[in-house]
Amino acid sequence: MSTLKVIQIGVGPIGQKVVKYLLEREGMEVVAAVDPAPDKNGKDLGEVCGLDKPLGITVSANLAEAMKNSKPDVAVLCTTSSMEKAVPQIEEIISHGLHVVSTCEELSYPWDTQPGLSKQLDEAAGKAGVAVLGTGVNPGFLMDFLPLAMTAVCRKVESIKVSRIQDASVRRIPFQQKIGAGLTLDEFEAKKQTGTLRHVGLAESVQMIAARMGWKLDRTEDILTPVVAEQEITTGYVPIKAGMAAGVRQIGKGIVGNREVITLEFVAAVGQADPADTVEITGDPPIKSVIPGGVNGDVATCAITVNAIKTIVSAPPGLRTMADIPPVTFFESF
Amino acid sequence: MSTLKVIQIGVGPIGQKVVKYLLEREGMEVVAAVDPAPDKNGKDLGEVCGLDKPLGITVSANLAEAMKNSKPDVAVLCTTSSMEKAVPQIEEIISHGLHVVSTCEELSYPWDTQPGLSKQLDEAAGKAGVAVLGTGVNPGFLMDFLPLAMTAVCRKVESIKVSRIQDASVRRIPFQQKIGAGLTLDEFEAKKQTGTLRHVGLAESVQMIAARMGWKLDRTEDILTPVVAEQEITTGYVPIKAGMAAGVRQIGKGIVGNREVITLEFVAAVGQADPADTVEITGDPPIKSVIPGGVNGDVATCAITVNAIKTIVSAPPGLRTMADIPPVTFFESF
């Protein structure tokens, strides 16, 4: 098979890692990159990604410029968590006839949260003859695709519970800051009001599960609270005193009548005990599946994005989700 | 959506359970059944399945007879583990324009073990415009689809190990007999030579994983040994003395050069400690996933067969496998 040409759009921390992972893989080639940031635009992509040698690819300020000198087959888009911001970017990309794999969290299953934009994007992709996918470790895998896939062996499913419990001590400092580690509870509450503490994608995971199970949800909930340090914690980038926030607990629920059929619990806290990714299906047979220690989120999101390229380029045109394409897997050659 | 009409072909223990599960589901209707066995042919399907009321469906002796009075959309085929035996049956079914979901183990991934028959079947299904799938809990899910799906979040995969450790005490008597529980080691060896102790499908699972990972295997191994009772076991249908076979251990390997890249360990023994289904991926990140207690095989195979109907009727025509169709899941309505 001929080599698949990839353009990387957005060269922040995630985009940089995607580029590194792409360089490791056979059958795929990075041919262009776009990032309008003044410290990236015009520089060599290798330099921007912190590699020890240049790649001979200059980061373009915009897509039109990048397309002048390259003929990519697929774009990897790592610019935003917001569907609203992503859609105009994707519409521009697909107008060039490129498939799209994006880490945009809200794109992972936008059919219920953003039905209008989803339909618009689906139609545009269909017309352009390309497929568009939002993926990542979560949303996109651990709390939606994986529990859905597990229900394959069930005669009956009454409810699905997924928990992702992470010890943030081992994560990047920006991640620890993002989850509010080291804030007083008042500071945590203030930051919560700004919306920046929120793990984006829980609502989308709830909706993906509900749609695929055929459950019509009467309501959903999304509850965010601090994980409070019971004693001083010194494993993070700042010491956290007892009574301060060590991180965040976010619970997404899907409810039919008075039955909580979907419960997604996302916990990320410095010093958190017993990290694990757990799926519990109440049904016949009941299934409990545990990944002790949990999946490393930084590696996993970039890996699944790269792996999804192979699946998306042969998927039916339109807005796709992880629930309606063949399984994304690692592969040694394209 | 209109109701999907199903014909059940083969009404042995698995076929009977599939019928029961189909009757529970919305959007699917059993409209006909075929089984040439003298104790089934001509009887009401409800009676054959041990239901407390007739279904008004007479079990036909052959497909031609069944098709005279019904217009099914899809056939569920539960007649054989053998690809060679299944292919002529499937060719007859698809000549009527029906999609096929089958529990035939060797059909789960026959591309490497039976390349000629696979190509022949793929072409016939393509011409008929229908999709054909072999599935089940194993092969079809636990030791192939599931580990493959888990690799989605890996930047690199070096090897995959899957173990399915079952305590056969809780399984049907025929299952305990099938695994040689209660045989002397000489009797076990004699039975092994007849080929009836073998878990069918391990080779297919090895090949499905290898193909999807892009690993060209230099050789495969399939090793079958008894699990020997260390002390008397009384939890099975017959007492098992120390030194006798309590069950079977089968190991399937896929080897590249001198690297064992795929290891599938299937153990089923009466009194077996710590039953579990475990996936271990050596890679980045490494992933270990455990289903403590394991998945109940009898329920799971019939459930995944019923669940796969929804996915297969909209899959591209041809011979499909669990690795190349969207994820099979439970669903409440069609």
Side-chain angles (χ1 to χ4, degrees):
Chain A
M1 199 174 203
S2 61
T3 298
L4 202 85
K5 296 184 170 63
V6 180
I7 179 168
Q8 176 63 41
I9 302 177
V11 198
I14 296 292
Q16 290 170 28
K17 207 182 269 278
V18 168
V19 168
K20 284 180 204 166
Y21 290 8
L22 278 167
L23 292 172
E24 296 169 356
R25 304 292 282 265
E26 281 183 34
M28 295 194 288
E29 187 188 355
V30 182
V31 297
V34 175
D35 199 312
D39 61 333
K40 290 169 186 156
N41 163 21
K43 289 197 177 156
D44 184 87
L45 180 60
E47 185 190 339
V48 172
C49 293
L51 306 181
D52 52 11
K53 56 174 182 183
L55 292 173
I57 297 165
T58 304
V59 176
S60 301
N62 56 62
L63 183 61
E65 187 188 310
M67 293 298 294
K68 279 184 201 158
N69 304 310
S70 64
K71 289 192 189 304
D73 306 295
V74 57
V76 174
L77 180 70
C78 307
T79 53
T80 177
S81 300
S82 153
M83 175 79 177
E84 209 173 331
K85 287 184 188 159
V87 167
Q89 298 175 9
I90 297 172
E91 287 179 327
E92 187 191 357
I93 297 167
I94 64 182
S95 76
H96 290 278
L98 310 185
H99 301 282
V100 182
V101 176
S102 177
T103 53
C104 172
E105 286 91 340
E106 290 184 355
L107 182 66
S108 62
Y109 195 87
W111 289 102
D112 292 280
T113 46
Q114 305 260 23
L117 279 176
S118 299
K119 193 157 174 282
Q120 176 187 327
L121 188 55
D122 185 47
E123 286 174 0
K127 270 188 203 160
V130 297
V132 174
L133 175 73
T135 192
V137 66
N138 176 33
F141 188 78
L142 282 173
M143 301 185 89
D144 37 39
F145 171 86
L146 189 60
L148 278 177
M150 292 271 183
T151 68
V153 291
C154 294
R155 166 192 188 180
K156 190 170 185 176
V157 175
E158 281 158 20
S159 64
I160 295 175
K161 185 176 176 188
V162 186
S163 63
R164 176 151 168 76
I165 311 295
Q166 299 176 85
D167 178 3
S169 310
V170 297
R171 296 292 294 272
R172 294 172 288 133
I173 290 173
F175 184 84
Q176 295 185 19
Q177 290 170 326
K178 189 181 144 194
I179 61 172
L183 299 182
T184 66
L185 297 191
D186 283 346
E187 290 168 340
F188 185 95
E189 185 58 32
K191 193 168 178 188
K192 175 179 164 182
Q193 297 305 327
T194 68
T196 54
L197 277 172
R198 190 171 72 98
H199 166 70
V200 181
L202 219 52
E204 285 72 16
S205 293
V206 168
Q207 296 293 355
M208 191 196 290
I209 292 173
R212 192 60 198 249
M213 291 294 97
W215 293 338
K216 298 220 182 310
L217 301 180
D218 292 313
R219 60 192 178 89
T220 60
E221 288 182 12
D222 195 331
I223 304 157
L224 194 150
T225 52
V227 174
V228 181
E230 290 182 9
Q231 52 196 45
E232 184 165 12
I233 301 168
T234 55
T235 53
Y237 81 103
V238 291
I240 301 167
K241 291 190 184 128
M244 289 179 125
V248 68
R249 168 175 286 113
Q250 191 174 349
I251 301 193
K253 297 181 181 181
I255 295 157
V256 176
N258 54 9
R259 278 203 313 140
E260 188 173 316
V261 292
I262 302 168
T263 310
L264 307 185
E265 181 186 27
F266 175 92
V267 175
V270 173
Q272 176 67 42
D274 302 323
D277 293 313
T278 306
V279 172
E280 284 178 89
I281 298 170
T282 304
D284 181 20
I287 293 177
K288 180 174 180 174
S289 165
V290 185
I291 301 176
V295 174
N296 180 306
D298 290 331
V299 178
T301 281
C302 300
I304 198 170
T305 301
V306 170
N307 289 331
I309 291 173
K310 184 170 182 170
T311 307
I312 208 65
V313 296
S314 51
L319 171 58
R320 303 265 72 87
T321 76
M322 291 293 286
D324 58 30
I325 57 172
V328 170
T329 71
F330 175 80
F331 51 92
E332 283 222 333
S333 57
F334 201 84
Chain B
M1 199 176 202
S2 61
T3 298
L4 200 85
K5 295 183 172 62
V6 181
I7 180 168
Q8 176 63 41
I9 302 176
V11 199
I14 296 292
Q16 292 170 28
K17 207 183 268 280
V18 168
V19 167
K20 284 180 205 166
Y21 290 8
L22 278 166
L23 292 172
E24 296 169 357
R25 303 292 281 266
E26 281 183 34
M28 293 193 288
E29 186 188 356
V30 182
V31 297
V34 175
D35 199 311
D39 60 332
K40 290 167 188 158
N41 162 24
K43 288 193 179 160
D44 184 87
L45 180 60
E47 185 190 339
V48 172
C49 292
L51 306 181
D52 53 10
K53 57 175 184 183
L55 292 173
I57 296 165
T58 303
V59 177
S60 300
N62 57 62
L63 183 61
E65 187 188 309
M67 292 299 294
K68 280 184 199 158
N69 304 309
S70 64
K71 289 191 189 303
D73 305 294
V74 58
V76 175
L77 180 70
C78 307
T79 53
T80 177
S81 300
S82 153
M83 176 77 177
E84 209 174 333
K85 288 183 186 159
V87 168
Q89 298 174 10
I90 297 171
E91 287 180 327
E92 187 190 356
I93 297 168
I94 63 183
S95 75
H96 290 278
L98 311 185
H99 301 281
V100 181
V101 176
S102 177
T103 53
C104 172
E105 285 91 340
E106 290 184 356
L107 182 66
S108 62
Y109 195 87
W111 289 102
D112 292 280
T113 47
Q114 305 261 22
L117 279 177
S118 300
K119 193 156 174 282
Q120 175 186 328
L121 189 55
D122 185 46
E123 286 174 1
K127 271 187 202 162
V130 297
V132 174
L133 175 74
T135 191
V137 66
N138 175 34
F141 187 78
L142 283 173
M143 302 185 87
D144 37 38
F145 171 86
L146 189 60
L148 279 177
M150 293 270 181
T151 68
V153 291
C154 295
R155 165 193 190 180
K156 189 171 184 176
V157 175
E158 280 158 20
S159 63
I160 295 176
K161 186 177 176 188
V162 186
S163 64
R164 175 150 167 78
I165 312 295
Q166 300 175 84
D167 179 2
S169 309
V170 297
R171 297 292 293 273
R172 295 172 288 132
I173 290 173
F175 185 84
Q176 295 186 19
Q177 291 172 324
K178 188 181 145 193
I179 61 173
L183 299 182
T184 65
L185 297 190
D186 284 348
E187 289 167 341
F188 185 95
E189 186 57 33
K191 194 171 178 186
K192 175 181 164 182
Q193 297 305 326
T194 68
T196 53
L197 277 173
R198 189 171 72 98
H199 166 70
V200 181
L202 218 53
E204 285 72 16
S205 294
V206 168
Q207 296 293 355
M208 191 196 290
I209 292 173
R212 192 61 196 247
M213 290 295 96
W215 293 338
K216 297 220 183 310
L217 301 180
D218 292 313
R219 60 192 177 91
T220 60
E221 288 182 13
D222 195 333
I223 304 157
L224 193 149
T225 53
V227 175
V228 181
E230 291 181 8
Q231 51 195 47
E232 185 164 12
I233 301 169
T234 56
T235 53
Y237 81 104
V238 291
I240 300 167
K241 291 192 184 126
M244 289 178 122
V248 68
R249 167 176 289 113
Q250 191 172 347
I251 301 193
K253 297 181 181 180
I255 295 158
V256 176
N258 55 7
R259 279 202 314 139
E260 187 173 318
V261 292
I262 302 168
T263 310
L264 308 184
E265 181 186 25
F266 175 92
V267 176
V270 173
Q272 176 66 45
D274 303 324
D277 293 314
T278 307
V279 172
E280 284 178 89
I281 298 170
T282 303
D284 182 18
I287 293 177
K288 181 174 179 174
S289 165
V290 185
I291 303 176
V295 173
N296 180 305
D298 290 331
V299 178
T301 282
C302 299
I304 199 170
T305 301
V306 169
N307 289 330
I309 291 173
K310 185 169 183 170
T311 307
I312 208 64
V313 295
S314 51
L319 171 58
R320 303 265 71 87
T321 76
M322 291 293 285
D324 58 29
I325 57 173
V328 170
T329 71
F330 175 80
F331 52 91
E332 283 221 335
S333 58
F334 202 84

